Amino acid sequence: MATFNLKINNKKHTVEVDEDTPLLWVLRDHIDLVGTKFGCGIGQCGACTVHVDGNAMRSCLLQVSQAEGMSITTIEGLSEDGSHPVQQAWKEIDVPQCGYCQSGQIMTASAFLNQNSNPSNSEIRDAMHGNICRCASYNSIEKAVKVAADKIS
Amino acid sequence: MNLSKQQTFSRRSFLKTSALASGGMLISFNLFTACKSDVKPPIDISQLNFNDFNAFIKISDEGKVTIFSPNPEIGQGVKTSMPMLIAEELDVPWDDVYIEQGVLDTENYTRQLAGGSQSIRLGWEPLRQTGATAKQMLVNAAAAKWGISPSECKASQGVITNPKGETLGYGDVVKEAALLDVPEDVKLKDPEDFTIIGKNTSNVDIDKIITGKPLFGLDYKEEGMVYASVLRPPAFGQVLESFDDTAARALSGVIDVVVIGEKARAHLEGDKKSWTAQLSKSDKVVVIAKTTWAAIKGKKAIKAVWKNDSELESTESHDKILLDLLNGEKFDTRRKDGNVKKAFANADKILERTYESPFLPHNCMEPMNFFANVTPEKVHLVGPVQTPEDAAKVVSNMLDRKLEDIHLEMTRMGGGFGRRLYGDFVYEAVEIADKIKKPVKMVSTREDDMTTGVYRPAIKYKIAASIKDGKLTGYHLKEAAVNINMYGLIPNFFPAAALENYQVDTVNYQSNITTGAWRAPYTNFLASAEQSFFDELAETLEVDRVQLHLDLLENVKNNPEPNIEYSPERLQGVIKMVVDKSNWGKTDPGVYQGFSVYYCHNTHVAEVADIVMENGNPVVKKVTCAVDCGVVVNPLGALNQVKGGVIDGIGHTMYSELAFKDGVPQSNNFNSYQLIRMGQTPQVDVHFVKNNIAPTGLGEPTLPPVGAAVANAIYKATGKRLTKQPYISNMDLEKVVG
C-alpha cells in the first residue's frame, strides 16, 4: 500500500492503494466516480477511456503510480452539466442503447475532436475504431461525432 | 360473490386507484397480466390484492405525471416506449412525464421479463387502455365538479375543457378522480390523433448516461460492501479437487477466501442437464476483498487443482458429431407437409448444402455482476437480470426463505442479448453473501464472463431442394444442434406453407457446455442458412431470386394455412420496399448486392447488402433494411434497434466464434475474440412500412436475415458460396462451395 496524490476533474484526491492498482479501479472503488466503465481490463474495448493531460487513455492499463502529477478528466468532469458539445451531440442523436460503453465513446470522441475539430469521415471511423459498442450503435456514434465537430468548429 | 359483477368483469378492473396522502392519485395495474394476450380474468376478483399490481402511474396535484416502468431495460428502449403508450392515451405533454424504475421489491414486482422482443407487442393495447381509463376518470371528476356530462368535456395535453371554455388541469381533479369507480369501455384514440406515439422520443436516461451517473449494476454501492471474485472451472467437464489460498490471503485488501456451490447444487438436486446444473456442478473458490482489484488479484493467486468429471469436448469433435447426426437417421420430425420423400425420389435435380455455425458468447459490455446482502430480516439483491421473478424464486428456495423476504432491485443493464435471462450470477452472489454475512458485490472479469457463459450453441443445417422439370417440388431442412433445437417455433415460419412437399427434422447432441438463448434465439443462424440456400436455389432454377420469394408467398396466399405465423402480404410488402429503396440490380460497377428476407419475433424484414472488394476482402458498405413492425412507437428508438440488429448480425456472421479444445474456451477477451468495430460497419438505411397494425418488437428481428444478405453479396463478388460462419475465417477456397 502506498499513498498517491491524484488530480481528477480539477480536484485533488489522496488515495491509499497498491501501486499496481489500475486508475480505473481507483476511480470506481475509491473516489466513487463510476462513470468510467470496466469492459475488458486489457485496453481492448475503450469503455474505461479517460483524458490524461488531454489525451484519451485506457484507465484499465494505467497504474495509479503512473497517474500521479497528471491532470485526469473523467466523464463526470468533461463538463459540469452535460453541456460539452460531444455530450450534447450524443443527446441530439440519441446515441445510447444500453448506454454502458457510451462514456468511453464520449471521452474518446472529445479528445479526438480537441486535436482535430474538422475531421473527415474516415478519420472519425479510425479514431473511434478502438471503442467497442456491443449494441452496435456505430452509425449513431459516427453521426454524433460529426454533429459535435460542427458544434465545435 | 356478486355474479353479475363477475360477468361484467373487464381487463380494466385490473386497475386500482387510490388517493395519495401526499396529494395526487395513484393508478396501479399489473403490467404482466394486462399484457398477456391470452389472459383470463380471475374467477373471483376479490382474489386480487394490491400486491398483484406492479406498475403505477402517479398524478400529482400539480398535474405532473410519474410512470413507474417495471420492465427491465437492457438497451431495447422499453423504458421509454412503454410509458409513451400510457402518456399518449392519458393525453399529457411528454415533457411533463417522469419515468422511474418503479418500486423495487418482489412484492410489487413479481412478473417481469425482457426477452423475445415482446414487450411492445403485448403492451400495445392494455397500456393504452390504462392511460385512457385514467384520463376518463379525470374527465368524469371534472364533469362532476361542473355539474355536466363527461361527454361535454374535452381533455387534451393535461387540461380538461368544458363547453363554456372553462378549464381544469389534471392536478385540480386528482383528489376527486381517485375516489371514482374505474370506468369500463373507454375509447382509445384514432391513430391519426396520436401526438406522442410515432414521434421521436429520446431515451429517458440520456442525461444520466452522457454524464456518467450511476445506473448499472456494477455502479451500485452500499456502506460496508465488499467485493467478490469467483474462480470457476477452467474447462467444461472439470470440477474443483483442491486449492491453496495461501498466496491470495497474503495480499493486501483480501479479507477472506470461501467456497460456494453446495447451496446451488442442493437446490438443483436431481437436475443433471439444465444450464444451472451444468454451471453449478463444481465448487467455486471465492476471494472476498475490500476492492474489486484486490479481489481480482486474489483470484489469480489461488492455486487450484481441477479434476475431470465428464468428457472434455472440442470443436473438432462437435463438428464431426453434428455432421454425422445430419447424415444419420435419428431425427424428430417437426413439420411434414405432403411427401418430401416422393418429391426427392422423382426429382431430376437435387440441390443440397450444409451450413455451419460456431458457439457464440453474449459478451454484454457490462460483465455479469450482482449485489447481495443476506440478513435475518431480508435478502437484498441489486443488479442487472432479465428474469427477476425467477431469480427471486430460486433464491428463496436456495436459502429456505419466504418469497416476501427476497427484495430484488433491478438496475439498468449494460446489454443482455439473452445472457441475463440466466441467473447463475445472482445465485453465486447470494451464496457468497449468505456465507460471509456481509453486503457483497460479485464481479466477473471479461475472462470469467466469456469463458463461463451460457452460449448460443453450435448448429449445423443440411438443406435440400428437389427440382423437377425446372420447378421446385420439395424442401427438406435438417438441423443438428448442440443441446438446443428449435422447439416448435420455426416450423410455422416462412417457407412453411409455401411448398406442397415440405419437411423439417431436428436432432441434437447433449453437451456439458452450457447453452441458451442468444439475441434472436432459434433463427439467428437459421435465417442465414435458409436465405443463403434460397439464393443458390434461385440460381439453380434460373429464376430471379426476388421473384422466387414473391412467387412462393403467392402460393401461401392462394393456399391459406391457419398455423403459419407470418403474413405473406407483409413479407411481399417488405420485399418490394427493399427492392425499391436499395436500387436493387441498378448499382454502380464494383458494388455487389445480396438479398435476404425473413420473418421472426412477429416482425417482417427484408434486407439488401451492398459490398465492394477492397484488397481482395469484402467490405460491407451499406445495408438497406425494410421493416414491417406495425406502428412505430418511437421512431428514434426504433432506428437504433434496427441498425444495431443489422450491424450486430454482420459482426457475428463475419467475425465471431468461440471454439473449444478439451473443454476450454479458446477465446477469453477481446484480443482473442473479434467483435465488430466502427471501421467494419456499413451505413444502415432503414425504411419502415407505414400502417396502423399493432406494433411488434424490434430488438431481434433485423439480426437474422443480414448474414445471408452479406453472404449472397459476397457470392456475387467472388463466385464463392459461404456456408460456414464466421465467414471471414472460412473464406479460403477449401471451405467454400463453388
Side-chain angles (χ1 to χ4, degrees), chain B residues 616-693:
Chain B
N617 287 314
V619 177
V620 188
K621 283 286 180 192
K622 184 182 156 193
V623 174
T624 309
C625 185
V627 183
D628 184 347
C629 60
V631 173
V632 179
V633 175
N634 179 7
L636 198 56
L639 267 182
N640 274 341
Q641 291 302 308
V642 170
K643 291 180 176 190
V646 167
I647 296 171
D648 187 11
I650 293 172
H652 282 92
T653 55
M654 291 288 275
Y655 306 112
S656 308
E657 74 179 309
L658 186 68
F660 290 85
K661 190 157 193 278
D662 299 328
V664 180
Q666 297 299 291
S667 311
N668 66 6
N669 205 324
F670 299 134
N671 54 351
S672 52
Y673 184 94
Q674 228 199 119
L675 279 172
I676 194 166
R677 291 171 182 269
M678 186 177 283
Q680 298 154 323
T681 34
Q683 297 302 318
V684 184
D685 182 27
V686 185
H687 301 272
F688 290 103
V689 172
K690 287 192 176 58
N691 60 36
N692 284 331
I693 302 172

Side-chain angles (χ1 to χ4, degrees), chain A residues 1 17-18 20-22 25 27-47 58 60 63 75-83 86-88 90-103 105-106 121 124-126 128-143 145-146, chain B residues 73-77 201-203 206-207 209-216 218-221 227 251-253 290-294 296-297 361-367 412-417 441 443-447 518-519 620 634 636-637 639-641 643-645 647-648 652 669-671 675-685:
Chain A
M1 288 277 218
V17 296
D18 282 343
D20 66 348
T21 310
W25 295 113
L27 293 170
R28 292 187 55 86
D29 288 357
H30 297 267
I31 309 180
D32 241 3
L33 293 170
V34 296
T36 305
K37 300 301 188 205
F38 169 54
C40 69
I42 59 166
Q44 290 285 320
C45 77
R58 306 287 198 244
C60 73
Q63 294 188 354
I75 184 77
E76 292 90 344
L78 187 62
S79 66
E80 280 193 359
D81 48 4
S83 60
V86 173
Q87 289 169 311
Q88 285 304 302
W90 247 248
K91 188 172 174 170
E92 210 171 297
I93 304 298
D94 199 43
V95 174
Q97 289 184 40
C98 88
Y100 190 80
C101 74
Q102 299 297 346
S103 54
Q105 304 276 2
I106 289 170
N121 283 1
I124 291 174
R125 287 167 73 90
D126 285 349
M128 301 307 295
H129 194 74
N131 285 65
I132 294 174
C133 173
R134 177 64 184 83
C135 304
S137 67
Y138 295 117
N139 277 188
S140 299
I141 293 170
E142 194 174 341
K143 200 163 151 194
V145 177
K146 277 179 221 161
Chain B
E73 178 58 282
I74 52 176
Q76 80 284 46
T201 308
S202 282
N203 182 332
I206 185 76
D207 288 320
I209 291 169
I210 61 170
T211 54
K213 295 281 184 301
L215 275 174
F216 300 92
L218 211 61
D219 303 341
Y220 181 81
K221 281 185 187 181
Y227 297 83
L251 291 168
S252 68
K290 286 181 188 161
T291 63
T292 316
W293 181 242
I296 292 172
K297 266 174 76 178
H362 298 85
N363 281 328
C364 306
M365 284 309 284
E366 179 191 16
R412 194 178 175 88
M413 304 183 206
F417 313 106
K441 167 100 68 67
V443 179
S444 284
T445 62
R446 176 59 54 198
E447 290 82 1
W518 191 98
R519 192 175 193 176
V620 188
N634 179 7
L636 198 56
L639 267 182
N640 274 341
Q641 291 302 308
K643 291 180 176 190
I647 296 171
D648 187 11
H652 282 92
N669 205 324
F670 299 134
N671 54 351
L675 279 172
I676 194 166
R677 291 171 182 269
M678 186 177 283
Q680 298 154 323
T681 34
Q683 297 302 318
V684 184
D685 182 27

